[in-house]
Amino acid sequence: MQATGRWADDIYAAIIERMIAGELSPGDALNELPLAEEFGVSRTPVREALQRLSAVGLVERGRRRAFVVKRLDPIAIQDLFEAVGELAALVAGMAALRMNEVERQALAAVTAAGEKDGVDYAEANARFHELIQQGAHNCVLASTIGDLSLRTLPWRGAQLRAKASRVEASRREHRAILDAILARDSAEAAALMRAHIGASFVGIVDMVRRRAETLPLRGPSTESPQATGRRAEPQEALEAGGPSPLRQEPQRNVF
Amino acid sequence: MQATGRWADDIYAAIIERMIAGELSPGDALNELPLAEEFGVSRTPVREALQRLSAVGLVERGRRRAFVVKRLDPIAIQDLFEAVGELAALVAGMAALRMNEVERQALAAVTAAGEKDGVDYAEANARFHELIQQGAHNCVLASTIGDLSLRTLPWRGAQLRAKASRVEASRREHRAILDAILARDSAEAAALMRAHIGASFVGIVDMVRRRAETLPLRGPSTESPQATGRRAEPQEALEAGGPSPLRQEPQRNVF
DNA sequence: TGCAGGTGTTATGTATACATATGCAAGCCT
DNA sequence: AGGCTTGCATATGTATACATAACACCTGCA
């Protein structure tokens, strides 16, 4: 029917983007047939996409074995954020010992670029953390952080854009981390990174905890916004916003 | 056709068990149709099982988009083993600070049990590491270690049974780790655990490196031992050796 | 004899039909 | 009137048929 084959990748990316956009909240149902009709494909690619989302931990099985956007209890959410912080700290400590001179200067340059007001801070921020992860010289740990960080997505939702007040603090923390790494102070780099990640997530953890206290056992969502009813052509639903960046970059950390 | 539904779980577990048994080596092809015929099901559940294996990182796409048992270059394998060791060290350090009195005494009891000659050391070993992971009070980190440790499976193969010489050293290391945890010495517990895991893996890493030097760019396997040719009844292939323990326990670490 | 292009085979990607399990609701029995 | 059972609706699990892409081999030409 089409040239590429493999709609599953596109559907996978599309669902993740809906989580980023806040259109899908934890607890929302992801039924196969409505998704298939909406994307204009059969259930098979949709199933593959949902299974992959399930494997990544973004989706779980709910009633009737249906897929729903993963809902974690507050303890598990805090565990998740803590795990991301601890792994980032571990990697930062390793990077402080292992980065070579080229990598150190690249990190210094990116840190300096992020302190200028003209550039997109989210971009500089992502590069900063990416360089540190590469600097640890352990691709498994780097990808593990990526996986865990991806699982934090549903709870970051619309909050992805960093708040202005947070940007200034983030810049200072990045600078301190850079100094520790340049000084090859592994323990200090790890401690600073742990605090940095924790500071980025504290607002979200608080929000999740408050929400959990308010709604004793129910989720934050009320209705699934999908299921438009008509059958769309595949291109219409999938490639509307240009090629998905998730095909290359799984996600972008914003700490 | 059958009562349970969900052959995919059984096939997933069966393939992992073949890796444990050494019947599947890194690089072996996992074609859908032969597997489907062998298990007596259609390609659909086989596809789901393979996709799940791919998500866990045990399997990757090879030529013609076919699934093959994952082959890592020696650097990636060392990264994997190092990542397991670093995470185990991290968790041990956290456990040293967070375990409560009941958990500490349980860990001491298991350590003592492992030092007696009558009991199965693999069992005591697994319980030891399990208790430490629980003692860190972070389920995400614990499951992450489980996932990574699962990925080491293809390279442990028949070597799963610990060598006798290694058992004695392992007991001493366990005792030292226990002492550090009981003393709430986080840094010491982490360092000892890192060394403990490293000592368990050093033989495998050496073997992988030697094998890589011997065979410049080819894998260790020569032929896929599957594809018996005839079509088996599902029960015959799947439930021959009793109910699969992998349905409940994903795998068992043997450090 | 070597290379290039085409064709055939094969395995995966997708679609669709059917089987099955589950949740809900209505009706019947107690 | 209430609880249990049964039937129905719906969504997932599985099977199979078809489309497609890629690799390999073969043949023809230079």
Side-chain angles (χ1 to χ4, degrees):
Chain A
M1 189 187 294
Q2 68 287 348
T4 163
R6 303 215 45 91
W7 296 107
D9 289 339
D10 298 307
I11 296 167
Y12 172 84
I15 292 175
I16 289 184
E17 285 177 345
R18 290 188 182 182
M19 292 182 181
I20 297 176
E23 302 167 19
L24 287 174
S25 303
D28 281 352
L30 292 169
N31 289 344
E32 295 173 2
L33 195 52
L35 287 170
E37 287 176 352
E38 185 183 1
F39 290 122
V41 297
S42 80
R43 282 174 48 210
T44 310
V46 173
R47 280 178 69 83
E48 180 177 337
L50 290 174
Q51 285 163 8
R52 286 175 52 186
L53 288 165
S54 172
V56 176
L58 286 172
V59 149
E60 64 186 347
R61 315 299 289 238
R63 301 288 153 81
R64 214 190 189 92
R65 302 189 67 82
F67 287 101
V68 297
V69 181
K70 188 145 188 175
R71 292 189 45 206
L72 295 180
D73 53 304
I75 293 175
I77 295 175
Q78 291 185 52
D79 283 1
L80 177 60
F81 285 126
E82 178 182 60
V84 174
E86 290 295 334
L87 258 67
L90 171 65
V91 163
M94 291 168 63
L97 299 177
R98 295 185 179 179
M99 284 179 88
N100 60 40
E101 213 43 52
V102 175
E103 293 169 328
R104 287 168 194 277
Q105 295 198 12
L107 185 65
V110 165
T111 306
E115 290 170 345
K116 291 188 292 190
D117 282 324
V119 300
D120 176 20
Y121 185 69
E123 173 71 22
N125 176 70
R127 283 286 295 161
F128 178 81
H129 289 280
E130 183 187 338
L131 283 176
I132 290 178
Q133 287 177 21
Q134 290 176 359
H137 295 287
N138 187 310
C139 57
V140 174
L141 280 176
S143 75
T144 299
I145 291 181
D147 290 345
L148 290 181
S149 162
L150 183 66
R151 288 165 63 176
T152 65
L153 246 176
W155 288 272
R156 297 205 256 165
Q159 201 166 351
L160 257 188
R161 297 278 152 254
K163 290 176 291 190
S165 65
R166 180 73 197 118
V167 169
E168 197 49 47
S170 179
R171 281 174 172 159
R172 286 197 306 274
E173 292 158 10
H174 280 198
R175 170 61 64 175
I177 292 169
L178 170 68
D179 290 341
I181 288 178
L182 292 182
R184 290 183 168 75
D185 188 341
S186 174
E188 179 74 1
L192 290 172
M193 177 65 84
R194 186 181 294 112
H196 174 56
I197 303 294
S200 300
F201 284 158
V202 63
I204 297 172
V205 172
D206 277 352
M207 179 195 68
V208 169
R209 187 156 29 196
R210 278 199 308 275
R211 183 182 291 176
E213 290 168 357
T214 308
L215 310 171
L217 269 174
R218 292 300 308 161
S221 74
T222 60
E223 195 84 14
S224 174
Q226 64 190 21
T228 62
R230 69 187 179 83
R231 184 184 183 89
E233 282 305 305
Q235 292 78 1
E236 184 181 348
L238 285 173
E239 305 186 33
S244 166
L246 288 173
R247 292 294 293 264
Q248 293 83 14
E249 296 274 336
Q251 94 294 359
R252 169 150 297 179
N253 304 332
V254 179
F255 293 130
Chain B
M1 189 187 295
Q2 69 288 348
T4 164
R6 304 215 45 92
W7 295 106
D9 290 339
D10 297 307
I11 297 167
Y12 172 84
I15 293 176
I16 289 185
E17 286 178 345
R18 290 187 183 182
M19 292 182 182
I20 297 176
E23 301 168 20
L24 288 174
S25 303
D28 280 352
L30 292 170
N31 289 344
E32 295 172 3
L33 194 52
L35 287 170
E37 287 177 352
E38 185 182 0
F39 290 122
V41 297
S42 79
R43 283 173 47 211
T44 310
V46 173
R47 280 177 68 83
E48 181 176 336
L50 290 175
Q51 284 161 10
R52 287 176 53 188
L53 287 165
S54 171
V56 177
L58 286 173
V59 149
E60 65 186 348
R61 315 297 289 238
R63 301 287 150 81
R64 215 189 189 95
R65 300 189 66 82
F67 288 100
V68 298
V69 181
K70 188 146 189 174
R71 293 189 44 207
L72 296 181
D73 53 304
I75 293 175
I77 295 176
Q78 291 185 52
D79 283 2
L80 176 60
F81 285 126
E82 178 183 59
V84 174
E86 291 294 332
L87 258 67
L90 171 64
V91 162
M94 291 169 64
L97 299 176
R98 295 184 178 179
M99 284 180 88
N100 60 41
E101 213 43 52
V102 175
E103 292 169 329
R104 287 168 193 277
Q105 295 198 12
L107 185 65
V110 166
T111 307
E115 290 170 344
K116 290 189 290 190
D117 282 325
V119 300
D120 176 20
Y121 185 69
E123 174 71 22
N125 176 70
R127 282 287 295 159
F128 178 81
H129 289 281
E130 182 187 338
L131 282 175
I132 290 179
Q133 286 177 21
Q134 290 176 358
H137 295 287
N138 187 311
C139 57
V140 174
L141 280 176
S143 76
T144 299
I145 291 181
D147 290 345
L148 290 182
S149 159
L150 183 66
R151 288 165 63 175
T152 66
L153 245 174
W155 288 272
R156 298 204 259 168
Q159 201 165 351
L160 258 187
R161 297 278 152 254
K163 289 176 291 191
S165 64
R166 181 71 199 121
V167 169
E168 198 49 47
S170 179
R171 280 173 173 159
R172 286 197 305 272
E173 292 158 10
H174 280 199
R175 170 62 63 177
I177 292 169
L178 170 69
D179 290 341
I181 288 177
L182 291 182
R184 290 183 167 76
D185 188 340
S186 175
E188 179 74 1
L192 289 172
M193 177 64 85
R194 184 182 295 111
H196 174 55
I197 302 293
S200 300
F201 284 158
V202 63
I204 298 172
V205 173
D206 276 352
M207 180 196 67
V208 170
R209 187 156 30 196
R210 277 199 309 274
R211 184 182 292 176
E213 289 168 357
T214 308
L215 309 171
L217 270 174
R218 293 300 307 160
S221 75
T222 59
E223 195 82 15
S224 174
Q226 63 190 19
T228 61
R230 69 186 179 85
R231 183 183 184 89
E233 282 306 303
Q235 290 79 0
E236 183 181 348
L238 283 173
E239 305 185 30
S244 166
L246 289 174
R247 292 296 292 265
Q248 292 83 12
E249 296 275 338
Q251 96 292 1
R252 168 150 297 179
N253 304 332
V254 179
F255 292 130

